[in-house]
Amino acid sequence: VANTPNYMLIAERLRKRIESGELKGGTQLPTELEMREEYGASRNTVRDAVKWLASRGLVEAYPGRGTFVTKRIVPFVITFSADPETGFGGGEGQAYVLEIEGQGRTPSVSAPQVGIEVAADAAPDLGLPAGAQVISRHQKRYIDGEPWSLQTSYYAVSLAERGATRLRDPSDVEQGVVGYLREILGIEQVGYVDRLGIRPVTSDEELFFELHAGSQRSVLENRRVAYDADGNPIRLTVSILHPDRTEIAIIEGQVPESARQERSWPIRHGRQPRPREGR
Amino acid sequence: VANTPNYMLIAERLRKRIESGELKGGTQLPTELEMREEYGASRNTVRDAVKWLASRGLVEAYPGRGTFVTKRIVPFVITFSADPETGFGGGEGQAYVLEIEGQGRTPSVSAPQVGIEVAADAAPDLGLPAGAQVISRHQKRYIDGEPWSLQTSYYAVSLAERGATRLRDPSDVEQGVVGYLREILGIEQVGYVDRLGIRPVTSDEELFFELHAGSQRSVLENRRVAYDADGNPIRLTVSILHPDRTEIAIIEGQVPESARQERSWPIRHGRQPRPREGR
DNA sequence: GCCTATTTGTGCGTATGTATG
DNA sequence: GCATACATACGCACAAATAGG
């Protein structure tokens, strides 16, 4: 009755071999021509099966070399809630560096690319009229040398006009932008709102994240609006996060110290906790 | 120089027509045979283009009918941080109902499916030895009648043995499980840790979420471990969230009331804020 | 219910291009 | 240059789902 197509049957057989551990990360799959014989199907059908696996990130195909089982990754944990020690967290600035180093990994950041642009998306979040100009500061961020996130912060140009001119400099602000704004303009960041969502990766991001071309994966996108003590928005930060390398922790209320320790697990593909049927 | 394959060129042309608004949600695309002529390519090549769009959720193909532009969805916002009014939030129990209703939408929940199983994943989070048994309570949750999340909570069997027998009943606990455990066993939930990640959808989930078969999308998965006042884990709740219908808000520190209002935007596909190049 | 035309899904064969070693 | 392996592209046949008569 279950008339599952052939390419799916082949994909399932391969998936089981991968998930059982028979085919470990890094192992080369049989070539398409070998599998053509092995499964008694045409090369195109085998290819459909491999494509299905590739789109879920289970295997990666390289022209001229072969198809290999993807190595599992232990994701980085970033905490999206206040930490009593480091103050505000959430993968930005100082807190980000401390948290990643705490996990025994090495964070690095590209020099900021700075520009002035018309606020499109950013305008409403910053409380600016549509079409207003904003300063954008863009950074690429790496962990252990591997691409991890694309981050862009937007500020009203008025901040620079009022004296915070370094916002326009394409260089790092050593004490952090938060500290800089406090020092120069007396603006205190007292809170923020994060909006986290998920969407398909763009081709630019595919390139940066070194996701396999056509992998058709999704990324996490976070939009953080930070506020000063008067309740005015200071800053919008948009972060695009690597899907496999990111895990977000949120701590609320009172939890034991042991639970604060960053524990993480490699992403599980395949069967999940609760199949079952019935509405 | 840029030798982009034909199917990609076709896909890009279609994408632009969709994102420009020329092809609105619900519109039928030309049939494969029509596009075959329109673009002077073979049917298979056109199909590759359409598949590319489908895997990003831009279009949906129905056998026997045609291919249609996906309707954009306004996601539901759930707040993953304490709310002064409702106490703990995060899309569970009472807080979930209030929050969704506050957005003018109607939440509903299936009757819980209850079982006793060997804790596999759940054991370490609940502080149990590997192989220990746990009570699982599974619910399907809908918003405006549309599937929104699969949620399973795990409890140590010892809780039921100590008197909280209703954990084993496949029926709703009116006052909520949190309140029930407090009442019966005096266990107070004082905090929790969330772990949010992203992974490819399974075929079961594809079915439940009414994602198009082979859509090859990703889902959000959250694992919440709740603790009592002694720092012991009470409960692990695993939630699988619909990728297009979910947006997670996290509020930290002090933000103006206006920012607490749930604002959300439909998912943007295509070009993102920061292309630019250079390392 | 049946038949038919339309439309997408699956499967195969083949040829050629491109990247790798 | 050469062999290998994946990527693209086309043509064809048939299956399965849908809608309409």
Side-chain angles (χ1 to χ4, degrees):
Chain A
V1 189
N3 196 359
T4 34
N6 206 335
Y7 77 90
M8 201 59 110
L9 294 175
I10 298 173
E12 280 301 309
R13 287 173 65 175
L14 285 169
R15 187 173 69 79
K16 276 180 188 124
R17 289 177 65 188
I18 292 169
E19 271 158 23
S20 73
E22 181 191 339
L23 297 172
K24 295 196 187 74
T27 319
Q28 179 170 9
L29 288 191
T31 69
E32 293 172 351
L33 290 180
E34 284 165 351
M35 287 198 274
R36 197 179 70 85
E37 306 207 339
E38 188 175 345
Y39 296 106
S42 79
R43 191 187 153 212
N44 279 334
T45 302
V46 170
R47 270 182 69 72
D48 282 344
V50 173
K51 269 189 216 163
W52 188 88
L53 295 170
S55 72
R56 332 222 135 190
L58 285 171
V59 302
E60 296 174 356
Y62 302 89
R65 287 205 279 150
T67 305
F68 301 84
V69 179
T70 305
K71 292 188 190 135
R72 296 302 172 82
I73 290 172
V74 179
F76 318 119
V77 179
I78 51 172
T79 304
F80 263 48
S81 53
D83 182 306
E85 310 232 349
T86 61
F88 287 166
E92 278 189 279
Q94 312 288 49
Y96 151 73
V97 172
L98 289 175
E99 180 162 26
I100 299 300
E101 284 177 345
Q103 294 172 55
R105 297 169 182 248
T106 313
S108 62
V109 184
S110 73
Q113 289 181 353
V114 179
I116 297 192
E117 29 184 295
V118 173
D121 258 15
D125 285 322
L126 288 175
L128 299 174
Q133 287 194 329
V134 290
I135 299 170
S136 73
R137 297 176 63 88
H138 174 67
Q139 286 186 314
K140 303 184 201 308
R141 312 205 288 164
Y142 304 81
I143 297 182
D144 293 342
E146 303 214 68
W148 176 60
S149 90
L150 293 167
Q151 184 175 293
T152 312
S153 292
Y154 300 91
Y155 304 87
V157 282
S158 59
L159 290 178
E161 286 160 359
R162 284 163 54 198
T165 54
R166 290 195 55 184
L167 286 181
R168 289 192 288 227
D169 287 353
S171 62
D172 266 319
V173 180
E174 301 78 30
Q175 74 265 55
V177 172
V178 172
Y180 175 66
L181 289 178
R182 177 172 49 228
E183 194 178 298
I184 301 291
L185 298 177
I187 292 176
E188 191 87 33
Q189 173 179 319
V190 298
Y192 50 64
V193 177
D194 283 311
R195 297 299 181 112
L196 243 175
I198 171 178
R199 61 165 177 76
V201 69
T202 66
S203 45
D204 296 320
E205 292 157 1
E206 221 167 43
L207 212 65
F208 170 71
F209 286 132
E210 295 168 8
L211 289 172
H212 218 62
S215 61
Q216 314 186 152
R217 307 290 302 285
S218 292
V219 291
L220 283 164
E221 176 172 326
N222 185 46
R223 299 168 67 89
R224 168 172 297 181
V225 182
Y227 294 90
D228 67 12
D230 300 327
N232 297 316
I234 316 169
R235 172 178 60 113
L236 164 68
T237 299
V238 179
S239 303
I240 320 278
L241 303 164
H242 191 297
D244 293 335
R245 304 207 242 251
T246 306
E247 190 176 295
I248 291 170
I250 303 159
I251 299 172
E252 205 52 53
Q254 183 186 329
V255 301
E257 197 48 44
S258 62
R260 289 186 174 270
Q261 283 171 14
E262 325 295 355
R263 192 157 26 96
S264 67
W265 50 85
I267 292 123
R268 289 182 314 288
H269 299 269
R271 199 148 5 267
Q272 276 307 306
R274 212 97 300 262
R276 288 199 201 166
E277 75 300 326
R279 224 230 219 218
Chain B
V1 190
N3 196 0
T4 34
N6 205 337
Y7 79 89
M8 201 60 110
L9 295 175
I10 297 174
E12 280 300 309
R13 286 173 66 173
L14 285 169
R15 187 173 69 78
K16 276 180 189 126
R17 288 178 65 188
I18 291 169
E19 272 159 22
S20 73
E22 181 191 339
L23 296 172
K24 295 196 187 73
T27 319
Q28 180 170 8
L29 288 191
T31 68
E32 292 172 354
L33 290 180
E34 285 167 349
M35 288 198 273
R36 196 179 70 86
E37 305 208 338
E38 188 175 344
Y39 296 108
S42 78
R43 188 187 155 213
N44 279 333
T45 303
V46 170
R47 270 182 69 73
D48 281 345
V50 172
K51 271 187 214 163
W52 189 87
L53 295 169
S55 73
R56 330 222 140 192
L58 286 171
V59 301
E60 295 173 358
Y62 301 89
R65 286 205 280 151
T67 305
F68 300 83
V69 179
T70 305
K71 291 185 190 135
R72 296 302 173 81
I73 290 171
V74 179
F76 318 118
V77 179
I78 50 173
T79 304
F80 264 49
S81 54
D83 183 306
E85 309 231 350
T86 62
F88 287 166
E92 277 189 280
Q94 312 289 48
Y96 152 72
V97 172
L98 289 174
E99 179 162 27
I100 299 301
E101 284 177 345
Q103 293 173 54
R105 298 169 181 246
T106 312
S108 62
V109 184
S110 73
Q113 290 182 352
V114 179
I116 298 193
E117 30 185 293
V118 172
D121 258 16
D125 285 323
L126 288 176
L128 298 174
Q133 287 193 329
V134 290
I135 299 170
S136 73
R137 296 176 64 87
H138 174 65
Q139 286 185 314
K140 303 184 202 304
R141 311 206 288 164
Y142 303 82
I143 296 181
D144 294 342
E146 304 214 67
W148 176 61
S149 90
L150 292 167
Q151 184 175 293
T152 310
S153 291
Y154 300 91
Y155 304 87
V157 283
S158 60
L159 291 178
E161 285 159 0
R162 284 163 56 197
T165 54
R166 291 194 56 183
L167 285 181
R168 289 191 290 226
D169 288 352
S171 60
D172 266 319
V173 180
E174 300 79 31
Q175 74 266 58
V177 172
V178 173
Y180 175 67
L181 288 178
R182 177 171 49 229
E183 196 177 295
I184 301 291
L185 298 177
I187 292 176
E188 192 86 35
Q189 172 178 317
V190 298
Y192 51 63
V193 177
D194 284 311
R195 297 299 180 113
L196 244 176
I198 171 178
R199 61 164 175 77
V201 70
T202 67
S203 44
D204 295 321
E205 292 157 2
E206 220 167 44
L207 213 64
F208 170 72
F209 286 133
E210 293 168 10
L211 289 172
H212 219 62
S215 60
Q216 315 186 152
R217 309 288 303 283
S218 292
V219 292
L220 283 163
E221 176 171 326
N222 185 45
R223 300 169 67 89
R224 168 173 296 181
V225 182
Y227 295 89
D228 67 12
D230 300 328
N232 298 315
I234 317 169
R235 172 179 59 114
L236 165 68
T237 299
V238 179
S239 303
I240 321 279
L241 303 165
H242 191 298
D244 293 336
R245 307 208 242 253
T246 307
E247 189 177 296
I248 292 171
I250 303 159
I251 298 173
E252 205 52 53
Q254 183 188 329
V255 301
E257 197 48 44
S258 62
R260 289 185 173 271
Q261 283 170 13
E262 325 296 355
R263 191 155 28 96
S264 68
W265 51 87
I267 292 121
R268 291 181 313 288
H269 299 269
R271 200 150 3 267
Q272 276 306 305
R274 210 97 303 260
R276 289 198 197 170
E277 74 300 323
R279 221 230 221 214

